[in-house]
Amino acid sequence: MAEKTLNPFEICQQQIKRACDQLGVEPAAYDMLKQPERVIEVSFPVEMDDGSVKVFTGWRSQHSTALGPAKGGLRFHPDTNFDEVRALSMWMTFKCSVVGIPYGGGKGAVKCNPKELSQKELERVARGFIRAVGDFIGPLKDIPAPDVYTNAQIMAWMYDEYSIMKGFNNPGLITGKPVEIGGSLGRNTATARGCTFVVREAAKKIGLDLKGATYAVNGFGNAGSFSAFYMKEFGAKLVACNDSKGGAYNPEGMDPVAVNEWKKEHGTVKGFPGSRDITTAELYALPVDVIIPAALENTITSDIAPNVKAKIIAEAANGPTTPEADEILNKRGVMVLPDILASAGGVTVSYFEWVQNLQNFYWTAEEVNQRLEKIMVSAFEDVYAMHLDKKVSMREAAFLVAVKRVVDAMRLRGWLS
Ligand code: GLU
């Protein structure tokens, strides 16, 4: 029977409930964490290039501010919805907590298809959204960043619009900006760097030599393509990757830089010379050592999980594995490095960007990368120690570490008895 598809909000609630139960915390802690503190829904008009007006809907969800201002990306996607945004904001709380950066969790989205908008329309959507939510966000309140189908240019327009609203430049409003206007060096590659640092640490623990190891990447966007580059630096071999339009598989290996060039030119990895097309299900069934899911939620289902042969799955995407699939992978001994850990590199360097903006003092790329590595390795060690200590999966361990820190903060602040 086909797996019942839980929406990400229900999945996230289950994860939090489980951690709260295991930690033995009072019911009020779960009651506080099972939904966002605040969600803003906005509708705003945008003038299209042909002179017509289209009304767009968007959300900004602030899940928790126990550990600091809400923090998290902003996605532009035609299929996004209220529950997805709420869930993603919840994962952000625990993502920031697991790496120990002083933020709560937030997430936003605008329901639109950027692939069907001109640059000018995209700019007007970005500015319109910021005018609509501008009073509810801010450098010390809630700090957005890029996410699926948004980028540094969109962050730049948003930063500019907010600065117009407030009457002075506010670079700390938003992270993932272009470097020329207050972005951090290393932010663009940070999710991928963070992800591959934890792959490296996990490989050491299970005795896998990454030199000569094989890997596949599901979703060749920002996180996926840069992860492929860094895996190559470890000496590993990319044998398959795909995107929303198709896949490329070559057991002899492919150069991720060349694949990326091909994608830039043709809009997809499909058709990369020497490769053959591959479906997502086939990609997950390949006899590779590491798979990096870097696409959307609910990709690894209970149909896909039984066929996985990889030793490590490193979730660069948010929520790629369904709970049923997760259980199957755990039983089969696959080490799943959960999203809240494996995808935390992006928000970690967002934090560095924000710190640099607030102090108006900028770091070198080397400083950024060294600090990122230190944080990712130490977060990995915290989670790994919990995994051994409590004999739970890496995902459960990450939630135990993260939820405990948020609950402790809530207690110290007097939100709990
Ligand atoms: N959108 C990214 C994430 O899901 C980055 C968030 C941020 O940098 O605030 O982690």
Side-chain angles (χ1 to χ4, degrees):
M1 201 184 81
E3 179 176 359
K4 171 184 174 290
T5 23
L6 288 174
N7 79 29
F9 182 65
E10 293 168 303
I11 294 174
C12 190
Q13 282 188 327
Q14 283 182 2
Q15 291 165 333
I16 302 169
K17 180 83 175 67
R18 201 156 171 178
C20 283
D21 288 348
Q22 277 169 343
L23 290 166
V25 295
E26 61 268 58
Y30 175 66
D31 288 342
M32 195 62 213
L33 295 174
K34 72 181 181 197
Q35 73 274 299
E37 287 172 16
R38 170 158 79 169
V39 189
I40 300 131
E41 179 174 287
V42 294
S43 297
F44 55 97
V46 174
E47 191 184 338
M48 308 307 280
D49 289 346
D50 65 4
S52 66
V53 170
K54 236 185 169 168
V55 176
F56 289 84
T57 300
W59 298 268
R60 185 70 192 171
S61 170
Q62 297 162 349
H63 171 246
S64 171
T65 53
L67 280 165
K71 180 85 190 86
L74 205 50
R75 73 174 51 177
F76 281 6
H77 201 277
D79 301 331
T80 190
N81 58 59
F82 178 67
D83 272 355
E84 179 185 70
V85 177
R86 289 199 293 171
L88 290 163
S89 73
M90 289 152 91
W91 279 321
M92 283 312 299
T93 298
F94 304 111
K95 195 184 286 195
C96 294
S97 170
V98 87
V99 286
I101 56 177
Y103 286 139
K107 198 76 160 210
V110 176
K111 201 170 174 61
C112 68
N113 189 350
K115 292 181 182 167
E116 288 170 2
L117 297 172
S118 72
Q119 278 297 98
K120 279 287 159 204
E121 288 168 342
L122 200 57
E123 174 173 353
R124 290 196 287 269
V125 170
R127 289 184 186 274
F129 180 71
I130 287 301
R131 281 197 300 279
V133 301
D135 285 336
F136 304 98
I137 60 173
L140 301 177
K141 236 192 230 178
D142 178 6
I143 306 128
D147 196 79
V148 174
Y149 294 162
T150 53
N151 55 29
Q153 176 60 73
I154 293 175
M155 299 305 111
W157 291 323
M158 291 182 164
Y159 154 53
D160 186 67
E161 192 62 31
Y162 186 79
S163 299
I164 293 169
M165 282 175 83
K166 298 295 162 185
F168 57 94
N169 281 351
N170 260 289
L173 165 76
I174 203 160
T175 58
K177 299 177 293 298
V179 173
E180 296 84 342
I181 52 169
S184 178
L185 294 169
R187 173 63 186 84
N188 198 30
T189 52
T191 307
R193 264 190 201 275
C195 176
T196 50
F197 283 141
V198 294
V199 169
R200 185 190 69 195
E201 297 310 301
K204 279 186 213 158
K205 301 286 185 200
I206 65 165
L208 169 70
D209 188 357
L210 287 177
K211 212 170 162 34
T214 52
Y215 68 100
V217 177
N218 169 219
F220 213 72
N222 175 286
S225 59
F226 284 115
S227 293
F229 300 162
Y230 298 128
M231 289 294 289
K232 183 188 168 196
E233 281 180 11
F234 295 149
K237 187 166 83 174
L238 174 70
V239 296
C241 58
N242 69 351
D243 54 44
S244 60
K245 299 199 183 108
Y249 169 57
N250 183 346
E252 300 304 318
M254 299 177 286
D255 176 16
V257 178
V259 176
N260 198 42
E261 287 304 313
W262 178 267
K263 173 155 184 168
K264 267 197 215 143
E265 213 176 297
H266 299 87
T268 174
V269 297
K270 190 175 155 182
F272 180 69
S275 77
R276 73 159 174 85
D277 194 9
I278 188 170
T279 66
T280 298
E282 284 168 345
L283 180 144
Y284 278 103
L286 289 175
V288 290
D289 297 302
V290 179
I291 302 180
I292 301 179
L296 291 172
E297 297 98 69
N298 290 340
T299 312
I300 311 178
T301 59
S302 55
D303 292 336
I304 283 185
N307 306 322
V308 168
K309 294 171 192 68
K311 301 177 183 77
I312 295 174
I313 290 191
E315 297 181 339
N318 289 301
T321 312
T322 68
E324 252 183 73
D326 209 24
E327 228 177 283
I328 299 170
L329 294 173
N330 287 332
K331 281 204 184 112
R332 303 189 52 239
V334 180
M335 188 180 231
V336 181
L337 302 173
D339 48 5
I340 61 169
L341 172 68
S343 76
V347 74
T348 302
V349 176
S350 275
Y351 166 55
F352 298 161
E353 178 172 334
W354 179 77
V355 168
Q356 294 170 77
N357 293 152
L358 296 189
Q359 50 181 20
N360 253 307
F361 182 70
Y362 289 83
W363 308 351
T364 62
E366 204 181 17
E367 274 172 294
V368 169
N369 291 334
Q370 276 169 3
R371 287 183 208 251
L372 171 64
E373 179 167 12
K374 210 167 149 196
I375 286 184
M376 293 309 300
V377 172
S378 124
F380 175 87
E381 288 298 342
D382 289 348
V383 173
Y384 192 73
M386 184 67 90
H387 156 76
L388 294 184
D389 182 35
K390 300 279 184 234
K391 300 187 174 47
V392 293
S393 69
M394 286 293 280
R395 188 183 317 278
E396 278 177 89
F399 270 91
L400 285 174
V401 169
V403 171
K404 182 171 187 316
R405 288 176 184 160
V406 181
V407 171
D408 286 349
M410 293 200 293
R411 184 165 296 110
L412 285 165
R413 294 181 65 156
W415 300 4
L416 301 172
S417 53

